[in-house]
Amino acid sequence: MAKTLKILTVFGTRPEAIKMFPLIHLLQEDQRFDSRVCVSGQHRGMLDQVLEIAGIEPHHDLDLMQPGQTLDALTARLLEGIGNVLDEERPDWVVVQGDTATAMCGGLAAYYRKIPVAHVEAGLRSGDIHHPWPEEVNRKIIGTFAALNFAPTETSAKSLTTENVDPAKVHVTGNTVIDALHWITEKVAAEPALATALSEVEKRFAGKRIIGVTSHRRENFGDGMDAIADAIGRLADRDDVAIIFPVHLNPNVRSVMNERLAGRDNIALLEPLDYPNFARLLDISSIMLTDSGGVQEEAPALGKPVLVMRETTERPEGVEAGTAKLVGTDADRIVEEASLLLDDQEAYSAMARSHNPFGDGKAAQRIVDLLAG
Ligand code: UD1
Ligand code: UDP
């Protein structure tokens, strides 16, 4: 019988947890693997929300989050902390996801030990090292040493081979976020009580069109966040519209949004929603306004027009499919584009078509089979 492969998944933030849990579920039940899980705790509350709903109990929790952490201090703590876990576990593979500091340091610590790295969601490129910042470079660094690159789309696979990554190491799998979305949708269908956190707000905003908002990008801190708050405030002046905005726990986001938008009639500023309730927000929203990566992938799958408050995107597939539009962080432009969707039924219908450019919900199984070799 073939040797059991010890797979150590390493992650630390909300989006990584969402995109890793479908894979961990499969690894746990597959005899070919000994699945071990290390979380860095780069996020705390927002990570724990996902671990709880997905039923994942990490074997290692480095609990690294510090309020207002800087990139250099976080990176140093991550590298050392994950390195210690690798020395203890000595896995056959380290699996990291995406482009966060945890993913980059998890991969680097494995590379320093000559442990092969598998990269989930490999090959996304905006072509601009400052957008998303520092994620574009984090993702490129992982691509330089990954032994297996799981590209979600043909576009991301091509970006890797264009950078001279050996095509034999690149596999198009789809994005596990679609697996996660299917899983949570089925779970909520079986247990509707999991997704009732918005009931009060839904009652308060009955009859209005909902705009769901998320925002957290580092490159938007300062002027970008101010402009986003300004645009949201102006959209909420309309009687027919309500904004539901679960605010990221990063103080650079919360301070601006609380100061500018708290107490407004048509705006609900909420704590971060857990995944079942965020899926509900996607469901009830007419439009999503976001600078998030994951939301750009989920919204097209649900046929929700998504206005992306960024200058560039490493996820062009949603834009090409016509369900996402880049609107930048100029307040006038954001208001103009959102108003067009609200006022012009034809413009709305043209964007509100469901597409699955990011996957078919079977990415995790493909990845598991490729890991098995
Ligand atoms: C991180 C990732 C980013 C990812 C985002 C997803 C890096 C450099 N950044 O950005 O790529 O898109 O997560 O959300 O890896 N905080 C809490 N509780 C939490 C989470 C965050 O209080 O559960 C606060 C803390 O003050 C923390 C701050 O937010 O210091 C920033 O967290 P950090 O992980 O450094 O950056 P994010 O902006 O969340
Ligand atoms: N999300 C969530 N609750 C929220 C906001 C977002 O569960 O209040 C989910 C969302 O469905 C998506 C992921 O978090 O899967 C996106 O995370 P985030 O925007 O923090 O990071 P990014 O994807 O930009 O790296």
Side-chain angles (χ1 to χ4, degrees):
M1 199 181 135
K3 173 178 171 284
T4 304
L5 286 173
K6 188 192 252 199
I7 311 281
L8 182 73
T9 41
V10 179
F11 57 99
T13 65
R14 169 173 68 193
E16 293 167 273
I18 288 173
K19 291 170 173 180
M20 282 290 219
F21 81 67
L23 183 59
I24 295 170
H25 286 169
L26 292 182
L27 288 170
Q28 279 172 342
E29 67 196 28
D30 191 323
Q31 301 287 320
R32 293 174 292 179
F33 304 104
D34 172 14
S35 169
R36 308 287 292 172
V37 176
C38 170
V39 296
S40 67
Q42 175 178 335
H43 282 175
R44 192 66 278 167
M46 286 159 50
L47 170 72
D48 294 344
Q49 281 182 328
V50 186
L51 295 176
E52 192 184 337
I53 192 75
I56 290 173
E57 289 176 21
H59 303 90
H60 303 269
D61 186 337
L62 301 173
D63 199 19
L64 284 179
M65 197 197 85
Q66 289 180 3
Q69 58 207 359
T70 60
L71 286 177
D72 42 9
L74 173 64
T75 301
R77 289 200 306 278
L78 282 166
L79 201 51
E80 192 165 22
I82 298 170
N84 289 337
V85 172
L86 295 188
D87 288 339
E88 188 186 328
E89 288 283 356
R90 305 193 154 280
D92 296 299
W93 283 93
V94 166
V95 183
V96 295
Q97 195 284 335
D99 57 13
T100 67
T102 294
M104 191 270 285
C105 292
L108 195 58
Y111 166 70
Y112 284 166
R113 289 159 180 78
K114 299 196 172 144
I115 299 169
V117 174
H119 189 197
V120 177
E121 200 187 73
L124 279 63
R125 298 286 185 272
S126 71
D128 178 347
I129 59 165
H130 300 293
H131 296 91
W133 176 79
E135 290 82 3
E136 175 84 354
V137 165
N138 284 346
R139 209 185 286 269
K140 283 175 91 151
I141 290 172
I142 302 168
T144 60
F145 48 64
L148 275 174
N149 294 276
F150 303 125
T153 67
E154 293 291 347
T155 304
S156 41
K158 191 151 177 278
S159 296
L160 289 165
T161 49
T162 305
E163 288 172 11
N164 292 329
V165 174
D166 178 357
K169 296 179 179 172
V170 180
H171 303 271
V172 178
T173 58
N175 197 312
T176 54
V177 76
I178 306 298
D179 305 34
L181 197 55
H182 288 181
W183 186 88
I184 207 70
T185 305
E186 278 169 31
K187 192 163 174 74
V188 170
E191 294 171 72
L194 287 175
T196 52
L198 294 175
S199 306
E200 283 302 308
V201 186
E202 286 183 48
K203 245 184 260 161
R204 176 178 152 202
F205 293 151
K208 294 182 192 285
R209 297 175 77 186
I210 305 293
I211 302 182
V213 182
T214 79
S215 181
H216 71 82
R217 300 235 50 83
R218 267 173 204 260
E219 64 271 22
N220 285 345
F221 292 170
D223 292 348
M225 283 292 156
D226 281 338
I228 289 170
D230 184 21
I232 292 167
R234 282 157 62 184
L235 285 168
D237 285 338
R238 293 176 59 129
D239 287 341
D240 60 337
V241 163
I243 311 283
I244 301 184
F245 185 173
V247 185
H248 194 285
L249 292 176
N250 195 317
N252 293 297
V253 182
R254 296 177 83 79
S255 56
V256 178
M257 300 309 165
N258 286 334
E259 190 185 313
R260 304 281 296 270
L261 303 173
R264 292 279 309 267
D265 281 350
N266 288 345
I267 302 179
L269 292 183
L270 307 177
E271 292 303 307
L273 293 167
D274 65 12
Y275 201 35
N277 285 294
F278 193 77
R280 172 77 188 162
L281 177 58
L282 286 167
D283 198 32
I284 63 172
S285 294
S286 295
I287 303 170
M288 291 302 298
L289 202 51
T290 191
D291 61 11
S292 158
V295 178
Q296 282 180 69
E297 295 155 345
E298 293 161 337
L302 299 169
K304 296 291 170 175
V306 55
L307 298 179
V308 182
M309 299 183 290
R310 293 169 54 170
E311 306 302 331
T312 59
T313 182
E314 68 284 23
R315 295 170 167 88
E317 295 87 346
V319 178
E320 281 154 17
T323 42
K325 195 186 252 188
L326 285 176
V327 299
T329 52
D330 176 76
D332 291 341
R333 173 96 201 275
I334 295 169
V335 172
E336 196 182 298
E337 294 287 356
S339 305
L340 175 70
L341 290 178
L342 291 165
D343 296 331
D344 181 337
Q345 185 55 42
E346 226 170 273
Y348 185 83
S349 304
M351 282 187 82
R353 285 175 290 117
S354 88
H355 282 275
N356 264 333
F358 297 105
D360 60 1
K362 299 187 176 102
Q365 188 61 58
R366 290 190 192 98
I367 290 170
V368 161
D369 290 339
L370 286 159
L371 280 170

